[in-house]
Amino acid sequence: METQTEKPKSELKTLEFPVKIGFVNDFEKIFTEEEIEFLENLLVYYKKNANREIAVITIDSIPKNAEFDQYAVKMSDNWNIGKNNGGNGLSIVLSKSLRKVRISTTDKTRDLYLSDELCKKVIDETMIPEFKNGKYYDGILLGLSELIRKWI
């Protein structure tokens, strides 16, 4: 007799992630072209001058077998955010339609610079107030500014 087991939720395939297109990946189409260009230039400049990589990702849905936070972490890992510059990296994954946001850091970034508590504080006190007013770009920009300021 054969038994079949369901895959645990933690096993997400590479194919389930969108393909990275740059530092700003606006799959949910939240930002204007000018906003994307500004954020992209900011993040390129930051990586070049500080050797730290940040990706901003917007998505409108996640696979049915995933939870948002888990999916955000796995996508950041899948895209190797921060892996090619000494492990200095983080991603901000935002979903307007799911009403979720997550900052995922590499181990080095979390251990040395930006704790989970600090990232939660940036989300709760800096980003979410802007999101509640429909100002997603402002929330992301202010959140990035705060994270960059603390990531010294």
Side-chain angles (χ1 to χ4, degrees), residues 12-14 16-21 25 27 55-63 67-81 83 90-95 102 104:
L12 298 174
K13 296 180 216 138
T14 302
E16 295 184 63
F17 300 107
V19 176
K20 182 179 178 189
I21 52 177
N25 302 269
F27 300 115
V56 174
I57 307 157
T58 68
I59 54 175
D60 59 2
S61 65
I62 60 172
E67 295 158 346
F68 185 83
D69 287 345
Q70 169 199 50
Y71 186 76
V73 169
K74 295 281 186 188
M75 185 177 353
S76 190
D77 290 346
N78 178 267
W79 287 7
N80 293 317
I81 306 296
K83 299 291 190 260
L90 72 82
S91 65
I92 300 173
V93 181
L94 168 67
S95 177
R102 164 77 187 218
S104 299

Side-chain angles (χ1 to χ4, degrees), residues 30-84:
I30 294 173
F31 307 125
T32 66
E33 286 184 33
E34 293 80 15
E35 291 168 342
I36 291 170
E37 184 177 347
F38 183 85
L39 291 172
E40 186 78 23
N41 289 337
L42 170 70
L43 298 178
V44 166
Y45 178 85
Y46 185 63
K47 182 176 182 184
K48 181 179 174 186
N49 290 284
N51 195 36
R52 296 180 175 154
E53 182 179 2
I54 300 174
V56 174
I57 307 157
T58 68
I59 54 175
D60 59 2
S61 65
I62 60 172
K64 289 183 172 137
N65 65 331
E67 295 158 346
F68 185 83
D69 287 345
Q70 169 199 50
Y71 186 76
V73 169
K74 295 281 186 188
M75 185 177 353
S76 190
D77 290 346
N78 178 267
W79 287 7
N80 293 317
I81 306 296
K83 299 291 190 260
N84 296 327

